[in-house]
Amino acid sequence: MNRWLKRSFALLLAFVLVFSISACSEKNSKTALKKVRIAEVTRSIFYAPQYVAIEKGFFKKEGLDVSVTTTAGGDKTMTALLSGGADVALVGSETSIYVYAQGSSDPVINFAQLTQTDGTFLVSRKRIDDFQWDQLKGSTFLGQRKGGMPQMVGEFVLKNHGIDPHKDLNLIQNIDFANIANAFASGTGDYVQLFEPTASVFEKEGKGYIVASFGKESGHVPYTTFMTKQSYLKKNKSTIEKFTKAIYEAQQWVQSHSASEIAKTIQPYFENTDLATIETVVDRYKSQGSFATDPILDEEEWNNLQNIMNEAEELPKQIQHDTLVNTEIANKVIKK
């Protein structure tokens, strides 16, 4: 073999070795990430810190490969978690109470709070410059699914304003969660309870007008939390701690950045919503304190949740805070 061939062969061998080592390193790097599957109850700007944690690499920094599936509804989200189709659920805390009350041998544990107020808004079909709650009396109200947090908080707020939702209104709550907005757009109801960005989009298109915020009216409540099965938590406590750390970092990032910066970061998750609308919604949620600033679900919020459920006659039984809530992990993360 002449000198030129020897040199070419040596260079080729070196290239193959470098490529192989690089490929192996990349493969090992990917396999080192712990996969965590989230089932979210809906895709919403309300959950901005979750998307920030993904986009800013906070999960990856903790060694986690997080994927999110939208399961459209609390019952479907909980089914995904209980059946093993998801490791973590992002859904209202009331679902963990329902599961526990049914005698589950593997209860669902709330470990990190994401939102701390209701996220819905009261939308009127007609523009109302000076809205008063008693204007709802005698109207057709398109509410949310019975037994879900939006509906229970909605009823709680109405009662606080002297309105009996079952006597003073023509209350409609048998429409599937995903179809409520379409039903209102098609002409059903005088008022509707909607999440963002749908409420703002309707206002922009002249289909409805935001007249009140249920989040401002209801006070602090563990509206949406991350939860997992007790068995998963026991086997993967380190993973849940890392997950919570990433969420806390995202919560702090959201607190310290503008609505414009947040909107640009989470825009990939809302391709059908223009950036200006996303920014408006983020600003609205930030201004009313909807995004939790830390992942701790405290006892006062837990009791407020049960009061709201009890008022709606949906509370199976009173459950102690430490039975279904783990604050040890969140407290540890914050102290670090």
Side-chain angles (χ1 to χ4, degrees):
M1 187 180 293
N2 61 39
R3 184 179 299 172
W4 184 87
L5 285 174
K6 286 181 178 179
R7 182 175 297 172
S8 298
F9 180 78
L11 286 172
L12 178 62
L13 182 61
F15 174 79
V16 169
L17 286 171
V18 170
F19 179 81
S20 299
I21 291 171
S22 176
C24 286
S25 297
E26 185 177 348
K27 182 179 180 181
N28 289 337
S29 175
K30 287 182 179 179
T31 55
L33 293 177
K34 170 75 172 180
K35 291 185 180 296
V36 179
R37 302 163 299 163
I38 301 175
E40 62 175 8
V41 65
T42 187
R43 176 58 50 91
S44 177
I45 297 170
F46 195 39
Y47 308 148
Q50 173 185 242
Y51 311 124
V52 166
I54 298 172
E55 288 299 300
K56 288 297 178 182
F58 298 151
F59 282 126
K60 189 169 286 187
K61 186 169 71 173
E62 295 300 322
L64 304 179
D65 177 14
V66 170
S67 61
V68 180
T69 301
T70 306
T71 40
D75 50 348
K76 295 176 183 176
T77 304
M78 193 52 63
T79 297
L81 181 67
L82 296 176
S83 67
D87 305 308
V88 171
L90 177 63
V91 65
S93 291
E94 80 285 355
T95 56
S96 65
I97 292 176
Y98 294 147
V99 170
Y100 184 80
Q102 290 171 1
S104 173
S105 59
D106 192 5
V108 175
I109 307 299
N110 299 266
F111 65 85
Q113 182 170 327
L114 191 72
T115 61
Q116 60 186 10
T117 74
D118 182 278
T120 61
F121 295 84
L122 179 63
V123 176
S124 169
R125 187 170 298 283
K126 298 178 181 179
R127 186 188 297 276
I128 302 174
D129 294 327
D130 184 24
F131 172 75
Q132 302 296 322
W133 285 91
D134 60 10
Q135 290 176 261
L136 287 172
K137 291 183 177 180
S139 69
T140 298
F141 185 93
L142 185 52
Q144 296 279 332
R145 178 182 62 84
K146 191 177 187 299
M149 276 305 295
Q151 179 62 33
M152 289 190 291
V153 169
E155 292 194 17
F156 179 79
V157 170
L158 292 174
K159 289 177 181 177
N160 282 347
H161 285 280
I163 300 170
D164 187 323
H166 300 283
K167 292 181 180 179
D168 297 332
L169 305 173
N170 174 22
L171 180 62
I172 300 174
Q173 56 182 155
N174 60 353
I175 297 175
D176 187 68
F177 176 82
N179 296 321
I180 291 172
N182 290 333
F184 185 75
S186 299
T188 302
D190 303 307
Y191 295 90
V192 64
Q193 185 179 355
L194 292 177
F195 277 98
E196 290 282 26
T198 309
S200 289
V201 170
F202 272 28
E203 194 165 57
K204 186 177 180 180
E205 296 175 348
K207 294 178 180 177
Y209 303 90
I210 298 172
V211 294
S213 165
F214 286 101
K216 285 183 178 179
E217 297 287 335
S218 61
H220 279 195
V221 61
Y223 201 81
T224 331
T225 64
F226 289 104
M227 56 188 75
T228 189
K229 290 189 292 186
Q230 190 175 65
S231 59
Y232 183 90
L233 180 58
K234 286 182 178 179
K235 293 178 183 177
N236 302 275
K237 192 170 183 179
S238 175
T239 297
I240 293 299
E241 184 177 321
K242 292 173 181 177
F243 185 101
T244 305
K245 186 178 179 182
I247 288 298
Y248 179 50
E249 188 169 359
Q251 289 173 325
Q252 293 295 293
W253 191 94
V254 166
Q255 280 299 111
S256 62
H257 288 73
S258 68
S260 175
E261 292 171 298
I262 298 166
K264 289 174 183 175
T265 301
I266 68 174
Q267 189 178 23
Y269 297 88
F270 304 94
E271 295 178 349
N272 296 324
T273 306
D274 64 87
L275 187 59
T277 299
I278 297 174
E279 184 177 341
T280 296
V281 174
V282 169
D283 185 60
R284 184 171 284 143
Y285 280 137
K286 278 197 76 174
S287 66
Q288 68 179 35
S290 289
F291 302 129
T293 57
D294 63 57
I296 297 174
L297 195 174
D298 64 39
E299 191 167 357
E300 183 178 349
E301 291 172 309
W302 182 255
N303 290 337
N304 192 26
L305 164 68
Q306 294 194 91
N307 288 337
I308 289 172
M309 294 178 70
N310 189 52
E311 190 70 30
E313 299 181 355
E314 296 290 350
L315 182 66
K317 61 180 178 179
Q318 286 283 342
I319 298 174
Q320 292 297 313
H321 174 257
D322 58 4
T323 300
L324 295 180
V325 180
N326 180 311
T327 56
E328 176 190 344
I329 293 172
N331 276 311
K332 183 179 180 181
V333 163
I334 292 172
K335 287 178 181 177
K336 280 187 176 180

